[in-house]
Amino acid sequence: MKSYRVRVAVAAGLAVAGLALSACGPVQAGAAAIVGKERISSSDLDAKVREFRADLASRKMAEDQLNLSMSVPQLILYNTANARQYAELARRKGVTVAESEIDGFVAARGGQAKVDEMLLSGGIPRSMGRDTIRAVLVQQKLMVQQGAGNDEQSQQAALVKVGQEADATVPVTFSPRYGKFDPQQGFVADDRFGAVAVAAQ
């Protein structure tokens, strides 16, 4: 299996690249993750999980039929960290994404309703949709800067470089209560901290 850094994960049908996010180092009390200097609180994560499940219910989509690669809290935490990491990397590098670019991305994929369905299928609440798409577009722009062409080899090479820069510039540390993050497998159980935390229904 390729590592999360070099594997392009089809999250919500949007070619979102996984990152080799760190799971070591101290995490502030009550934090689910630290992205650079920004804190993702456990309470904020729990709220997003509840929102995601409400979104599913409103569309009569069953969580157990989504075949998600991680638990819902883990996947939402991962996607939130990913979006914030790229937002900060874009700020530091002066890369911008206009709202019209996001609108164009949505239109090219069949409109908002279709994109919402893709987001939910990938474990992403609708409220995170535009931030997720913005992260994808930032990543694509950075990959072009790193020499990505139309061939898979150059895209993978550029993706590795962009992932390395993101990880070095805006490091991400996850709380061990959500599991240990392994670059090859994603979140795995960490026996030192017991069962992985599950947000309230």
Side-chain angles (χ1 to χ4, degrees), residues 167-180:
D167 199 40
T169 305
V170 190
V172 177
T173 305
F174 291 109
S175 167
R177 72 187 287 255
Y178 294 95
K180 180 180 179 181

Side-chain angles (χ1 to χ4, degrees), residues 96-116:
T96 59
V97 173
E99 293 299 313
S100 60
E101 292 179 84
I102 298 175
D103 292 339
F105 185 100
V106 171
R109 283 152 184 80
Q112 193 62 57
K114 290 280 189 182
V115 170
D116 284 347

